[in-house]
Amino acid sequence: MTELDRVLGGGIVAGASVLVGGEPGIGKSTLMLQMAAQMRSRSVLYVTGEESARQIRLRADRLGVSNPKLAILAENQLERITRLITPGTVGDPAPYQVVIVDSIQTIASPEAGTVPGTPNQIKYTTFEIADTAREHGVAVFFVAHVTKEGSIAGPRTIEHMVDTVLYFEQSDDETRYLRASKNRFGSTDEIGLFTMQPRGLVQITDPNSVFLVRRSGSLPAGVVVAPVIEGSRVLLVEVQALTVPAKGGISRVFSDKLDSRRVNRMAAVLEKHLGLQFSDHDMYVNVAGGMRIRDVGVELALAVALYSARTDRSFPSATAVAGEVSLAGEIRPVAQMARRARTASEMGFARCLGPGSVRQGESGTPVNWDGVASLEDAVKKIFGAQNGRSTG
Ligand code: TYD
Ligand code: MG
């Protein structure tokens, strides 16, 4: 599965252990079953402590997957699991190359108390399984439930015992994001993209067709398109801002998808260098499609979206922006600017505003790339010269 391989850092490493965390119902079991079914040249053991083997079988049928080399076992007892993944005779190959434990919270050992799911049990059972698996070159996936608050005693306490930690996240709709928060075998920058469909998880191979909102006519104020880098991909995303007078004069920021400190910083730069007041306004910021954006190159789009929202002027269609904004209001070079502009061009954006120069070592200037030196410059180019400075 390309999207899973991408996040793992190229694929599954023999003997490696992977934690797959996420809220109940997000699709962890579905992902594991689809993965298991696809590994046709490997023997896979799927241990289920939550559902019966029959339920897994029914889900496999519903997903339309089958794999004669996939064994499903309903089991909660640690020692029976470790015995099954150990070769019968020393020196023999392990009976399974991949083992999935769904979920680690349901596995228990009398060695660690009587109740499954306690921090002690989770630590003990994870350690024992990962250790046995490593010894015999078996790759193991631990499914772990994470509650809405995210912290929970469970999964976090075992992160240090595994090689890779993946978290499955959900946006408002059926989109699912798979991110690595730790990876001994690859970067943690990549994200895997899926949608949950009636017949299981479907990989999103063309993210720009999913995340980019196609609009006809002019854009509503506060909406700006930005090419951002997520892992090895350029994604075009729509940044949305809304500003309203703050009650009681205290400005607040509501932003889940972009770091709210970044929102405050852009508002401060706009206030200082373009004379636009934000300190008496609440700011709401969102990213269409619900993806969290960490790329610093989103800053120019964020600043322009705030400007557009605050002045009620629409951002021109067929335009995209990327760049880092310094506290002095300058637009600084960002990684892979040429590639961003090229991707924007491929997606029909005739103009891509960005920094005036490329980063060292990069070359090529796509025709649609329009360099700007400062945020004030960018605003003039986008909204017209007379609108560059406003008293707000
Ligand atoms: P599941 O993989 O059981 O989640 P988890 O193991 O993380 O708790 O999937 C949960 C939801 O996904 C379930 O509520 C129904 C939905 N779903 C689909 O929409 N299509 C499918 O093909 C499958 C298997 C599940
Ligand atoms: Mg499950």
Side-chain angles (χ1 to χ4, degrees):
M1 294 172 93
T2 319
E3 292 303 297
L4 178 59
D5 290 345
R6 182 195 301 283
V7 181
L8 286 171
I12 300 166
V13 175
S17 49
V18 181
L19 178 67
V20 183
E23 287 173 26
I26 199 158
K28 301 180 295 297
S29 301
T30 306
L31 178 69
M32 289 295 102
L33 193 58
Q34 287 183 232
M35 174 190 83
Q38 215 148 311
M39 288 189 284
R40 301 189 138 266
S41 58
R42 313 266 179 229
S43 40
V44 183
L45 174 67
Y46 190 122
V47 180
T48 168
E50 307 212 323
E51 293 157 293
S52 66
R54 198 181 121 76
Q55 279 173 307
I56 301 286
R57 168 90 245 174
L58 286 173
R59 176 181 286 147
D61 289 345
R62 193 150 47 85
L63 292 169
V65 296
S66 71
N67 181 352
K69 296 182 89 174
L70 169 61
I72 294 168
L73 170 76
E75 183 58 74
N76 298 89
Q77 242 268 305
L78 170 74
E79 286 73 16
R80 287 195 212 122
I81 297 165
T82 47
R83 205 175 311 136
L84 262 177
I85 59 182
T86 306
T89 312
V90 180
D92 275 5
Y96 301 101
Q97 288 158 296
V98 178
V99 172
I100 297 154
V101 180
D102 185 2
S103 68
I104 191 63
Q105 277 114 329
T106 60
I107 311 300
S109 164
E111 298 292 324
T114 46
V115 190
T118 62
N120 235 5
Q121 284 281 8
I122 293 172
K123 281 191 246 178
Y124 184 76
T125 52
T126 304
F127 180 81
E128 289 294 314
I129 295 172
D131 197 45
T132 310
R134 193 173 304 119
E135 186 183 338
H136 304 294
V138 180
V140 57
F141 287 78
F142 297 103
V143 170
H145 293 299
V146 175
T147 54
K148 196 102 196 164
E149 295 71 42
S151 61
I152 38 54
R156 297 270 186 249
T157 62
I158 52 172
E159 285 185 347
H160 68 282
M161 294 184 196
V162 296
D163 298 307
T164 302
V165 178
L166 306 183
Y167 280 104
F168 221 7
E169 297 171 13
Q170 178 172 9
S171 68
D172 320 323
D173 56 10
E174 65 281 359
T175 313
R176 301 284 186 278
Y177 306 93
L178 193 61
R179 292 179 189 271
S181 67
K182 165 184 175 179
N183 194 357
R184 187 160 292 165
F185 309 110
S187 93
T188 52
D189 293 337
E190 297 286 353
I191 54 173
L193 300 169
F194 301 86
T195 58
M196 182 59 93
Q197 298 293 320
R199 287 199 59 193
L201 289 161
V202 178
Q203 307 188 67
I204 301 179
T205 48
D206 181 12
N208 286 324
S209 66
V210 177
F211 295 111
L212 198 58
V213 185
R214 289 291 181 188
R215 300 176 186 273
S216 52
S218 62
L219 298 174
V223 167
V224 171
V225 175
V228 295
I229 305 280
E230 281 293 324
S232 54
R233 285 186 285 212
V234 177
L235 303 179
L236 280 143
V237 296
E238 187 181 286
V239 176
Q240 306 168 344
L242 171 72
T243 62
V244 290
K247 288 193 186 74
I250 298 167
S251 163
R252 287 170 303 174
V253 171
F254 302 88
S255 178
D256 288 340
K257 306 306 172 192
L258 298 183
D259 187 348
S260 50
R261 284 167 301 185
R262 185 164 273 165
V263 177
N264 273 318
R265 203 149 23 92
M266 290 306 110
V269 171
L270 284 163
E271 189 152 334
K272 173 77 181 170
H273 301 286
L274 282 99
L276 201 58
Q277 206 163 336
F278 284 93
S279 49
D280 53 358
H281 275 66
D282 285 341
M283 291 168 265
Y284 295 82
V285 171
N286 197 16
V287 175
M291 183 152 44
R292 278 195 294 126
I293 310 290
R294 291 177 293 188
D295 177 12
V296 66
V298 79
E299 283 186 350
L300 181 55
L302 171 59
V304 173
L306 287 168
Y307 180 94
S308 164
R310 185 70 179 81
T311 59
D312 214 17
R313 295 181 186 123
S314 286
F315 183 73
S317 51
T319 302
V321 296
E324 184 182 346
V325 180
S326 77
L327 290 179
E330 310 142 305
I331 309 304
R332 290 223 293 254
V334 284
Q336 306 184 49
M337 187 58 210
R339 204 172 144 223
R340 294 177 200 245
R342 219 171 289 121
T343 306
S345 164
E346 282 161 19
M347 299 304 293
F349 292 84
R351 185 161 68 138
C352 185
L353 262 74
S357 57
V358 284
R359 274 208 179 164
Q360 230 171 354
E362 285 183 42
S363 60
T365 34
V367 289
N368 67 333
W369 179 354
D370 195 349
V372 283
S374 66
L375 185 53
E376 189 167 2
D377 254 16
V379 163
K380 276 187 191 150
K381 270 200 175 161
I382 294 166
F383 301 101
Q386 73 282 15
N387 297 333
R389 201 172 174 92
S390 152
T391 53

